[in-house]
Amino acid sequence: MKQVVQNYKSGELAVLDVPVPGCKPGGVLVRSAYSLISTGTELMKVSEAGMSMLGKARSRPDQVAKVMQSVATNGVPATYRKVMGKLDSYTPLGYSLCGVVEQVGTGIDDVKVGDLVACAGNEHALHAELNWVPKNLYVPVPDGLAPRHAAFGTVGSIAMQGVRQGEPQLGEVALVIGLGLIGQLVVQLLSASGIRVVGADPDPVRCELAERMGAATCGAPESTAVEAAVAELTGGHGVDQVYLAAGGGSNEPVELAARLCRDRGRVVDIGKCRLDLPWNAYYEKELDVRFSRSYGPGRYDPEYELEGRDYPIGYVRWTERRNLACFLDLTARGSVDVEPLISHIADFDDAVETYQRLKDGDLKAVAVLFRYPEHAGQAAAPAVAVPAVKQPRGRVSTPARAAGTPVRLAFVGAGNYATSMLLPHLAERDGVALSTVVTTTALSAANAKRKFGFAEATTDLDAVLGDPSIDAVFVVTRHSSHAELTRRALLAGKTVFVEKPLALTEDELARVLAAVEESGNDRLQVGFNRRFAPLLQEARNRFGTRTGPASLRYLVNAGQLQHGSWYLQQGTEGSRFAGEGGHFIDTASWLLGADPVSVYAAAPSGNEDLQVVLRYPDGSTATISYVTTGASGFPKETLDLIADGKVLRFDDFARATVFGGRRNRWVSSRLPRARDKGQSAELAAFVKAVRTGGPMPVPLQSLVATTAATLAVRTGLAGGAPVTLERAR
């Protein structure tokens, strides 16, 4: 494998071929996807290596002291040989990366081969194709977080530990001196904590970036702007905390800290700057000077880092591993945005040239990433398998019902959607008998029974699935239970209507299809109701057939969720798009008459907005803009379909227009109060299929393809590249 190394004596940088590390017990072997260059720490080492021997000695007086002690103990010749031997050896670079677990050592049970992890440590998260990483120095990457962003984990932990040492409290004001990579992250972490931040750095570009990242004001350390901002924000008292994130030999940062800090304020040293404390200034204000040790508690403790002995959370709340996990979580949720900090992404093979450009100043950067060859190849064309619907074993036949015999339905779940959008249509429909409602709480079942006329109300699902008189089961529960309940109902021989989504993961989808194959029961419908909307169907018919590729644009103004909504429980219920994105993918595929063959997804930082681009076999494309930050008064769903000199314009189930064709223009409108999103027609088609034993309203393979495309959005966001949808054979 290849690894970036440096000879500290000569200053030589190289990408060497070195042996692959073994996978020892208590850790994992990780193949790097992206590794982050610390433009502060690493460039300091690179610069020192290029100095003369005298320059090296001046820059590291601590090492000179060790050499003199060795001379006194071992003599000059032995010490010289020892020092020269050490200087003339290759040393590694790097300490922050993201990669894929390639092998799992004994004693590890929290990750498996193929998992994406973020890794830390200047001996374990190196700029190398493969690294062995002990348990307490890696954490799994949250779903949806791109690998290049997860590679910031270690540096983010350093910034986070510094902020923790400052003990910020809501409403306080902080000064961050030095707006390099660490300083920029400190600014964001403080802003996310409700702290008003002033930044100081001589580089106006970095000052502007920090202001975009949340700082109130930034300026050069010697400028009056910084002092004036501090006076205005603090009423002249001075800042509550100062974070020293600067490097170099100047004593100006600690002097500025004393000048702008309030009485009994806190000064936290995160970087490696000169610390000749002006005694009078620090004494008179009784300033509390604190040091932040790297990633957090556990750092430099071999029992913690190498042997995997964790500190009890009741005694040490934030260890270096827990800091790492916390930073990744904040980044995944958009509270911290590292994308604007990425100045350059270099191929790993160009590592030496990249370091040289950074050292010479040709490449001015806040953060630089190495992208590894195998990951780059995978990112260019990641693929997700669309499971093929296999012919069920001993296919179950569904005979037509005798005339006058009602279709007996059971509902599993009776929440807001079921009671407002489904049951009102079924309760009034001839030939339908609402047999049983099942809920987890007795009262909600009783309410549904009373309101809609169910014959029975129960909390016993097994009794319903075992009742041969029930023809079809509606699954209208929270998203996380859909796949399992659908699987059980199919195995029980029931026709199933499940609200979207069918599944939240590829494994859940596979288990549903395994139930179809095992039971011989493929009688399944997912609640993709838009394709049944009368106005949209009429507009599609007016648009007519097409001969060339089409372009479809679909804007979904989803809006903000109310505080406390279970849709926000993404850890268990999936993202908002995973929950309802299938609606829009299904509509696009229905309008275009095919299933998608690839998915590309992109997301701006800090919110749940998405841009999803679907490509279809004939070259057609559909762009779905799913936004949560739009105006509440704007229509929720609008789409345009363009092909063959014709345009279909659809406005939120209230108005449809077709331009072109024989009459040049057709317009149809519905009163806003009469918007019909297709639930009634969808239920009618489902009940008819149950009654007659005829085909289900939507082919099962189409439901599977839509679900797979919805799940591929998460894969695309993580990889930052289009995802090919390959239909399994």
Side-chain angles (χ1 to χ4, degrees):
M1 72 166 193
K2 294 181 178 179
Q3 178 175 348
V4 178
V5 296
Q6 182 177 39
N7 184 298
Y8 197 70
K9 178 182 178 182
S10 65
E12 174 199 4
L13 283 162
V15 178
L16 287 187
D17 284 316
V18 298
V20 173
C23 187
K24 297 179 288 186
V28 294
L29 192 64
V30 177
R31 182 170 293 278
S32 301
Y34 289 90
S35 61
L36 177 69
I37 298 178
S38 171
T39 48
T41 303
E42 289 188 59
L43 281 189
M44 179 182 68
K45 291 175 66 176
V46 170
S47 298
E48 285 179 359
M51 295 177 180
S52 65
M53 294 300 293
L54 180 58
K56 288 182 175 72
R58 287 174 174 171
S59 67
R60 295 297 304 273
D62 56 327
Q63 296 299 319
V64 172
K66 290 182 180 180
V67 170
M68 298 309 295
Q69 179 63 43
S70 179
V71 168
T73 304
N74 303 311
V76 173
T79 300
Y80 178 81
R81 288 192 298 270
K82 178 181 177 181
V83 170
M84 289 299 104
K86 190 171 183 179
L87 287 176
D88 200 21
S89 300
Y90 284 119
T91 58
L93 293 171
Y95 61 86
S96 187
L97 67 80
C98 175
V100 177
V101 175
E102 186 154 294
Q103 191 174 343
V104 177
T106 57
I108 299 297
D109 57 8
D110 59 342
V111 294
K112 61 184 184 299
V113 173
D115 284 354
L116 194 66
V117 292
C119 308
N122 61 354
E123 295 179 354
H124 305 288
L126 309 172
H127 297 310
E129 291 179 314
L130 288 160
N131 285 279
W132 178 80
V133 188
K135 181 173 183 176
N136 281 338
L137 292 179
Y138 70 80
V139 296
V141 174
D143 289 344
L145 182 60
R148 67 181 184 278
H149 296 162
F152 281 76
T154 309
V155 177
S157 300
I158 294 172
M160 178 171 286
Q161 177 63 15
V163 171
R164 294 195 194 284
Q165 289 294 90
E167 298 183 15
Q169 299 184 43
L170 284 171
E172 290 188 332
V173 180
L175 172 66
V176 179
I177 302 177
L179 297 175
L181 178 55
I182 296 293
Q184 297 287 343
L185 292 171
V186 170
V187 167
Q188 291 197 54
L189 290 168
L190 289 169
S191 298
S193 303
I195 309 300
R196 292 172 293 175
V197 184
V198 177
D201 194 285
D203 187 340
V205 175
R206 292 183 173 184
C207 289
E208 181 184 351
L209 177 60
E211 289 178 351
R212 285 197 283 123
M213 295 295 99
T217 301
C218 297
E222 69 278 3
S223 70
T224 58
V226 171
E227 195 162 344
V230 169
E232 181 181 352
L233 291 172
T234 66
H237 295 294
V239 298
D240 300 283
Q241 311 122 43
V242 178
Y243 296 89
L244 301 176
S250 172
N251 205 49
E252 184 178 352
V254 296
E255 295 172 4
L256 180 65
R259 190 163 70 249
L260 298 184
C261 201
R262 67 164 169 82
D263 189 57
R264 293 180 175 81
R266 300 177 292 282
V267 179
V268 181
D269 179 39
I270 306 175
K272 190 177 182 182
C273 64
R274 186 175 175 184
L275 286 176
D276 290 341
L277 301 182
W279 189 87
N280 284 339
Y282 276 72
Y283 171 80
E284 289 170 3
K285 288 187 175 181
E286 200 176 351
L287 296 179
D288 184 357
V289 180
R290 303 178 179 184
F291 289 85
S292 177
R293 187 169 66 182
S294 198
Y295 330 144
R299 188 71 180 112
Y300 309 116
D301 177 356
E303 290 190 357
Y304 177 90
E305 293 192 331
L306 299 180
E307 298 177 22
R309 298 184 184 179
D310 196 8
Y311 301 150
I313 195 169
Y315 291 88
V316 184
R317 177 63 183 91
W318 293 109
T319 60
E320 57 180 317
R321 192 183 200 218
R322 291 194 271 266
N323 273 339
L324 182 57
C326 181
F327 181 80
L328 295 181
D329 176 67
L330 289 173
T331 308
R333 291 191 285 116
S335 298
V336 173
D337 184 9
V338 298
E339 182 66 28
L341 307 181
I342 301 174
S343 307
H344 184 66
I345 299 178
D347 289 334
F348 180 60
D349 290 340
D350 298 329
V352 173
E353 178 188 354
T354 303
Y355 274 113
Q356 194 60 50
R357 291 179 60 200
L358 286 167
K359 179 184 175 183
D360 296 343
D362 295 337
L363 177 59
K364 298 185 181 300
V366 174
V368 175
L369 290 165
F370 287 139
R371 176 178 51 216
Y372 288 76
E374 184 165 320
H375 179 77
Q378 292 173 348
V384 167
V386 180
V389 178
K390 298 180 180 179
Q391 185 69 25
R393 303 171 188 167
R395 186 183 184 90
V396 172
S397 60
T398 307
R401 303 187 63 77
T405 305
V407 173
R408 293 174 59 82
L409 306 178
F411 262 68
V412 182
N416 182 61
Y417 187 82
T419 56
S420 63
M421 304 306 297
L422 299 180
L423 284 169
H425 295 295
L426 292 168
E428 302 173 356
R429 189 174 297 279
D430 292 336
V432 170
L434 296 179
S435 174
T436 310
V437 58
V438 184
T439 63
T440 55
T441 60
L443 185 58
S444 59
N447 283 332
K449 177 183 177 182
R450 177 186 60 82
K451 186 173 182 180
F452 296 103
F454 281 96
E456 300 290 340
T458 182
T459 58
D460 187 356
L461 175 62
D462 291 334
V464 171
L465 296 182
D467 186 347
S469 69
I470 292 175
D471 302 301
V473 172
F474 280 72
V475 176
V476 201
T477 53
R478 291 193 177 185
H479 298 164
S480 58
S481 62
H482 284 190
E484 177 59 17
L485 292 173
T486 299
R487 187 188 71 83
R488 292 178 61 186
L490 288 170
L491 290 173
K494 306 300 183 186
T495 301
V496 181
F497 182 107
V498 57
E499 254 309 317
K500 47 77 193 163
L502 173 60
L504 290 175
T505 67
E506 289 83 359
D507 286 344
E508 287 184 355
L509 179 58
R511 287 197 292 271
V512 170
L513 293 180
V516 170
E517 184 181 6
E518 177 184 345
S519 66
N521 179 15
D522 60 358
R523 308 286 288 170
L524 176 64
Q525 172 64 21
V526 180
F528 298 142
N529 52 276
R530 267 64 170 174
R531 64 162 68 201
F532 296 94
L535 183 59
L536 188 56
Q537 287 199 333
E538 185 179 5
R540 183 194 189 211
N541 292 336
R542 294 279 184 173
F543 187 85
T545 58
R546 57 183 176 84
T547 58
S551 174
L552 188 147
R553 299 179 298 179
Y554 201 150
L555 172 61
V556 183
N557 183 34
Q560 296 287 336
L561 291 173
Q562 292 184 354
H563 179 71
S565 170
W566 63 265
Y567 261 84
L568 295 171
Q569 299 173 16
Q570 295 193 16
T572 56
E573 304 300 334
S575 67
R576 286 187 70 182
F577 192 83
E580 67 174 353
H583 267 323
F584 318 118
I585 294 177
D586 176 77
T587 304
S589 298
W590 172 71
L591 285 169
L592 296 174
D595 296 324
V597 295
S598 74
V599 176
Y600 175 74
S605 61
N607 55 54
E608 293 184 294
D609 293 1
L610 287 175
Q611 300 294 324
V612 178
V613 181
L614 307 168
R615 187 170 59 84
Y616 289 83
D618 67 349
S620 297
T621 60
T623 301
I624 300 172
S625 299
Y626 183 87
V627 298
T628 63
T629 54
S632 59
F634 189 80
K636 181 178 178 181
E637 296 178 41
T638 56
L639 69 82
D640 301 297
L641 174 64
I642 305 165
D644 301 340
K646 297 179 290 185
V647 177
L648 185 160
R649 173 75 181 180
F650 188 77
D651 294 298
D652 208 25
F653 304 91
R655 180 183 176 91
T657 309
V658 174
F659 298 85
R662 294 180 180 177
R663 298 185 179 180
N664 195 37
R665 185 178 182 188
W666 168 85
V667 182
S668 181
S669 299
R670 298 283 189 273
L671 293 174
R673 70 181 64 179
R675 286 189 176 95
D676 187 341
K677 295 186 178 182
Q679 285 92 349
S680 179
E682 175 190 35
L683 293 170
F686 177 76
V687 170
K688 179 181 178 181
V690 177
R691 176 183 292 114
T692 65
M696 298 302 292
V698 181
L700 180 55
Q701 186 61 58
S702 176
L703 301 177
V704 171
T706 294
T707 302
T710 307
L711 298 175
V713 169
R714 179 183 60 190
T715 303
L717 287 173
V723 178
T724 300
L725 297 171
E726 297 179 345
R727 182 164 176 171
R729 299 184 181 276

